[in-house]
Amino acid sequence: ETSGDKIKPENILIQEFNPLVPVALSIPSGMKPGRIIIIIGTVNNNAEKLVVNLQHGDADDADICYHFNPRFGSSQIVQNNRFEGSWGSEDTNASAFVFEKGGNFNLVLKEEPGTYTAYVNGQQVCEFSQRIDSSLADHLVIRGGVFIKRIIIA
């Protein structure tokens, strides 16, 4: 379930191949417990960061229910939320940084009741307690120094 290999084809809502970054995809019916997002890609050699947002709408100033932000300069993963223009307190995790410049990754974001869990290459790297009602998250936005091969929303 953390790689996408066990997802039944009938459970796939959206599948995109080779989308150009930045990516903004609508999430049918929004996020909810059990929803899984899989992002398969490669980190650019000169990448500074990767940003994956589960947010309300696709505007730059949208409310963000979950902000997943690996930062290559500091080798840490930052998680956060933004509501009505204000960022919450950052949740940082350096011990879980498994991304490599030039390396491939399989990122899985899974919503469980009250929590988002992130897996990279099959390894759980972090959890984030929801601060905003996840049903508001109706868009997946990806930015940063990556090439995306495939996105699955199930």
Side-chain angles (χ1 to χ4, degrees), residues 14 16 23-27 138-141 151 153:
I14 290 182
E16 290 279 331
V23 175
L25 287 178
S26 177
I27 302 171
D138 57 7
H139 278 76
L140 167 67
V141 173
I151 299 171
I153 301 176

Side-chain angles (χ1 to χ4, degrees), residues 55-56 59-65 80-89 132:
Q55 63 184 53
H56 184 64
D60 288 342
D61 62 350
D63 288 343
I64 300 171
C65 297
N80 207 342
N81 74 298
R82 184 174 67 201
F83 185 66
E84 296 180 346
S86 296
W87 286 99
S89 58
I132 302 174

Side-chain angles (χ1 to χ4, degrees), residues 14 16 19 22-28 31 36-39 51-58 66 68 107 109 137-143 148 150-153:
I14 290 182
E16 290 279 331
V23 175
L25 287 178
S26 177
I27 302 171
M31 291 297 292
I36 295 175
I37 295 177
I38 302 167
I39 303 166
V51 174
V52 179
N53 291 333
L54 300 177
Q55 63 184 53
H56 184 64
D58 62 0
Y66 181 50
F68 179 84
L107 169 63
L109 302 178
D138 57 7
H139 278 76
L140 167 67
V141 173
I142 304 170
R143 297 191 317 268
I148 303 297
R150 187 174 173 199
I151 299 171
I152 299 170
I153 301 176

Side-chain angles (χ1 to χ4, degrees), residues 2-95:
T2 58
S3 68
D5 296 334
K6 297 178 183 166
I7 293 177
K8 296 177 183 172
E10 62 268 22
N11 293 336
I12 294 176
L13 300 174
I14 290 182
Q15 188 163 204
E16 290 279 331
F17 293 93
N18 304 315
L20 293 177
V21 176
V23 175
L25 287 178
S26 177
I27 302 171
S29 308
M31 291 297 292
K32 59 185 176 184
R35 177 81 69 229
I36 295 175
I37 295 177
I38 302 167
I39 303 166
I40 300 168
T42 303
V43 178
N44 296 344
N45 289 324
N46 60 352
E48 294 180 18
K49 63 183 174 182
L50 165 63
V51 174
V52 179
N53 291 333
L54 300 177
Q55 63 184 53
H56 184 64
D58 62 0
D60 288 342
D61 62 350
D63 288 343
I64 300 171
C65 297
Y66 181 50
H67 173 75
F68 179 84
N69 177 213
R71 296 179 183 172
F72 294 92
S74 58
S75 297
Q76 61 184 357
I77 296 173
V78 175
Q79 301 175 103
N80 207 342
N81 74 298
R82 184 174 67 201
F83 185 66
E84 296 180 346
S86 296
W87 286 99
S89 58
E90 287 189 343
D91 180 355
T92 60
N93 186 337
S95 62

